[in-house]
Amino acid sequence: MTTAKPKPPRRGPPGETVLTGIAVSPGIAIGPIYDTSEAAAEVPRRVVAVDAVEAEREKLAAAAATARKQVTKLKTRLTILPEEAQEELAPLLDAYILMLGNSRLLRGARKRIGDALLGAETAVLDEAEEIAALILAAKDDDRAGLMRRAAEVREIGRRLIRTLTATPFRSLKDVPAGAILVADEITPADAALLDPARIAGVATEEGGADGHTAIMLRALGIPAVLGCHGLAAAAARGDSAVLDGARGRVILHPSDTALAAARDGLAGYARERTKLSKLRRLPAETTDGEVVELQANLEIPAELPLIAQAGAQGIGLLRSEFLFMNRASLPDENAQFDAYRSIVEAMAGDSVTIRVLDWGGEKDMEALSAGVPMGSGPNPALGLRGIRLLLKRPELLEEQFAAILRVSTRGPVRVMLPMITTPSEVKQAREIYERVARRLRRRGEALPDRLPPLGAMIETPGAALAADAIALEADFFAIGTNDLAMYTLAVDRAEADVAYLYDPLHPAVLRLVQFATEAALRLRMQVSVCGEMAGNPKLVPLLLGLGIRSFSMNASAIPRVKQAIRALDIDDCARFARRVMEQSDPVRIRELVDGFGPTS
Ligand code: PEP
Ligand code: MG
């Protein structure tokens, strides 16, 4: 994780270009670039009914607006490119923006939709091809100029078609083995479909340090650099590259020296993995005997083997969203039951905390879009997401509760509620929970006498500040520092442009973590941290010092966190946390954290 502002690309040795972005997933990748920002090749021809014409035209207008926004954003970022590149690209992007406005291409495509009853993408393709052919047929000696103009029209057509036909897995399934995947943006649903055995690394223009895409890439162990400005303009398919996910760097056309350094780095990672694997069976215990619980976060079932390898003591956060992603219809109670059962059984008696669906913000799910007024408000992150959506659509919550309750006879589970802001949300959810349990019992299901604990995520400033009241309704707390930092600092966790402001070490965030932790500890209630902070070994002394004894993180972070814990003394940590909490300057706090030693 880094909070640095993006740096302009710099020239290394001749031919080499070094780009800097946000370091989101450690590891080194060496391989050819596979740029998925390129257009899809084929557009199936689509004809529509007369009464669908208006809807197709609206789709076209929306796609043009989206594409215009993308190009405008790309243009604002040109300033970080070398001057010659800026001079070349700026007029081109201006032309694109014009063509995405009230241009002949859009007017023509709109007309074709109505005249020939064509789907929007088919109309765009036909119109772009016709305009390109007319340009190329013009009598002009400047052949190169004509070809360039025709290519521009086709490129705009392709951009529109890509937006119109977007499906999450469309462009990612053909990535060749060993390639570094480059894209404008990768959604969490795209990331869920990436195969870590095939993809060497991921680099994107967009994205922040603790967005769900970043979390997913870390969980899959794919080296990644997000928010890498200038990448789309500088990288082309087939370019050789080195990606360093710990330093947040992508080197295009690396020199022999850069390649040799990358190979050394890869060997270093392999040695470290061997060393850390020896910690697997050792307890997470401080030098003075305080035992700490280290659990894993799970985004997709493919991570289960990594969780076993890491020696996690259960799953502290099962993000159930994976069940709802990349599908057109909702999973029913039985499908959910099967999925939870295989995870609970794989954990063989270790506890699994299942978080009910946390949909919203960047986690867009097709299956839920129908009939739900989601993402349409002026500010989706502040709208109907998490528990708010579930209480509005109680049938979703009931099905999920039923599946989880049935699984609770197969192993220890806990149930967790996302995006809580008021005690009454926990109360209402509990009423539904108990009603579902009564119904299942009537149906003859043998549920445990005591229902699994029902806990609240503390991930909004409102919940943290009302933690004492929420603690009276909840059975446990899990502090979600990712959203807590986002909402406290008003900084989108997945937005590259403001990533430098996203800082969980901001005193405002730390004070909320402290307040919520103390509210739980006063009632002797279990409290854990399951945001990305928990997986950062540097932050362990501070969190231990604040009273946290349970951490849940991506599985690959567990060995390093365990190593850190085994070198710490709780009294030192408590003294250190007191010192940190006296500070009001985030820069000073980071200095203290970076410089922490037993005598700090
Ligand atoms: C969090 O917000 O810190 C959290 C753990 O939940 P998610 O990252 O899934 O939003
Ligand atoms: Mg969250």
Side-chain angles (χ1 to χ4, degrees), residues 425-481:
E425 286 165 333
V426 183
K427 216 168 158 175
Q428 286 175 64
R430 192 182 292 282
E431 278 163 20
I432 298 175
Y433 189 56
E434 288 172 352
R435 191 166 72 228
V436 171
R438 282 196 297 276
R439 200 186 68 219
L440 288 176
R441 286 196 172 108
R442 275 200 304 277
R443 208 165 85 181
E445 299 278 353
L447 300 186
D449 289 341
R450 275 184 73 150
L451 295 183
L454 184 68
M457 287 212 60
I458 302 296
E459 53 183 346
T460 61
L465 289 170
D468 42 358
I470 294 173
L472 299 176
E473 302 296 339
D475 297 328
F476 65 91
F477 279 171
I479 304 178
T481 49

Side-chain angles (χ1 to χ4, degrees), residues 212 317 319 355 358 363 385 418-419 457 459 480-484 487 493:
H212 289 94
L317 168 62
R319 292 181 164 102
R355 181 178 72 186
D358 181 16
K363 289 180 273 189
R385 55 166 298 193
M419 278 294 293
M457 287 212 60
E459 53 183 346
T481 49
N482 308 334
D483 278 320
L484 189 58
Y487 289 114
R493 56 194 268 196

Side-chain angles (χ1 to χ4, degrees), residues 40-320:
E42 297 269 314
V43 183
R45 295 197 70 77
R46 208 160 53 84
V47 180
V48 297
V50 179
D51 59 2
V53 163
E54 263 327 294
E56 287 300 313
R57 284 180 168 160
E58 273 165 27
K59 263 172 65 184
L60 177 63
T66 305
R68 209 163 44 235
K69 225 159 76 192
Q70 286 166 353
V71 179
T72 308
K73 196 161 182 181
L74 209 61
K75 194 173 164 230
T76 61
R77 291 185 175 161
L78 286 184
T79 47
I80 64 166
L81 289 178
E83 220 163 279
E84 325 88 81
Q86 284 190 42
E87 277 165 17
E88 203 171 302
L89 286 167
L92 182 68
L93 296 186
D94 282 335
Y96 284 6
I97 294 168
L98 275 177
M99 269 192 270
L100 288 163
N102 183 19
S103 64
R104 161 151 185 211
L105 174 63
L106 279 166
R107 281 194 309 273
R110 208 181 132 75
K111 188 162 179 313
R112 278 173 196 269
I113 293 175
D115 292 353
L117 297 179
L118 295 178
E121 64 281 3
T122 313
V124 169
L125 181 69
D126 288 358
E127 186 65 24
E129 283 307 316
E130 186 178 300
I131 298 174
L134 282 173
I135 293 173
L136 291 173
K139 297 218 178 329
D140 192 326
D141 290 340
D142 181 10
R143 287 312 298 164
L146 291 178
M147 283 167 75
R148 207 178 45 244
R149 277 172 51 213
E152 283 169 19
V153 173
R154 289 199 173 111
E155 167 57 21
I156 287 300
R158 277 199 293 267
R159 257 188 187 272
L160 282 168
I161 291 166
R162 208 169 54 231
T163 312
L164 282 163
T165 56
T167 49
F169 38 90
R170 168 189 48 84
S171 51
L172 304 182
K173 61 178 191 292
D174 303 323
V175 185
I180 297 174
L181 177 69
V182 165
D184 290 342
E185 184 177 14
I186 291 200
T187 66
D190 290 333
L193 294 164
L194 295 179
D195 177 357
R198 281 179 66 78
I199 290 180
V202 169
T204 65
E205 280 269 338
E206 304 288 335
D210 283 346
H212 289 94
T213 301
I215 290 174
M216 203 83 98
L217 292 166
R218 266 196 290 277
L220 292 169
I222 300 177
V225 179
L226 303 190
C228 192
H229 295 179
L231 183 70
R237 192 175 286 191
D239 282 354
S240 68
V242 164
L243 178 150
D244 184 336
R247 298 169 78 181
R249 238 170 46 168
V250 178
I251 307 178
L252 300 172
H253 309 293
S255 63
D256 289 347
T257 317
L259 277 172
R263 288 195 193 102
D264 280 354
L266 271 177
Y269 273 109
R271 280 195 300 277
E272 195 194 15
R273 259 198 309 278
T274 314
K275 196 171 126 214
L276 289 174
S277 68
K278 303 207 170 91
L279 288 170
R280 191 178 170 276
R281 290 182 202 290
L282 298 177
E285 191 177 338
T286 59
T287 51
D288 52 341
E290 189 82 20
V291 176
V292 180
E293 182 178 50
L294 298 186
Q295 296 190 307
N297 293 350
L298 182 130
E299 289 51 61
I300 46 175
E303 293 167 57
L304 277 171
L306 300 175
I307 289 179
Q309 270 166 34
Q313 302 161 280
I315 295 175
L317 168 62
L318 191 162
R319 292 181 164 102
S320 64

Side-chain angles (χ1 to χ4, degrees), residues 347-426:
M347 293 311 293
D350 282 336
S351 156
V352 178
T353 300
I354 304 176
R355 181 178 72 186
V356 290
L357 181 63
D358 181 16
W359 186 48
E362 10 138 39
K363 289 180 273 189
D364 198 9
M365 289 169 214
E366 264 174 69
L368 280 163
S369 304
V372 186
M374 272 292 307
S376 51
N379 200 335
L382 304 182
L384 198 56
R385 55 166 298 193
I387 191 68
R388 303 169 184 180
L389 172 75
L390 295 174
L391 291 176
K392 194 117 187 152
R393 295 265 310 256
E395 74 284 2
L396 285 176
L397 190 55
E398 283 171 21
E399 274 198 339
Q400 198 164 17
F401 277 157
I404 298 172
L405 282 167
R406 283 168 59 201
V407 161
S408 69
T409 58
R410 311 287 176 124
V413 301
R414 304 194 306 172
V415 187
M416 189 145 82
L417 306 169
M419 278 294 293
I420 291 290
T421 48
T422 69
S424 82
E425 286 165 333
V426 183

Side-chain angles (χ1 to χ4, degrees), residues 316-354:
L317 168 62
L318 191 162
R319 292 181 164 102
S320 64
E321 293 81 58
F322 75 88
L323 270 167
F324 298 78
M325 282 176 178
N326 297 315
R327 51 184 299 154
S329 61
L330 296 169
D332 65 11
E333 181 190 314
N334 284 334
Q336 292 192 49
F337 170 75
D338 288 342
Y340 303 141
R341 188 189 55 190
S342 57
I343 295 169
V344 167
E345 287 179 355
M347 293 311 293
D350 282 336
S351 156
V352 178
T353 300
I354 304 176

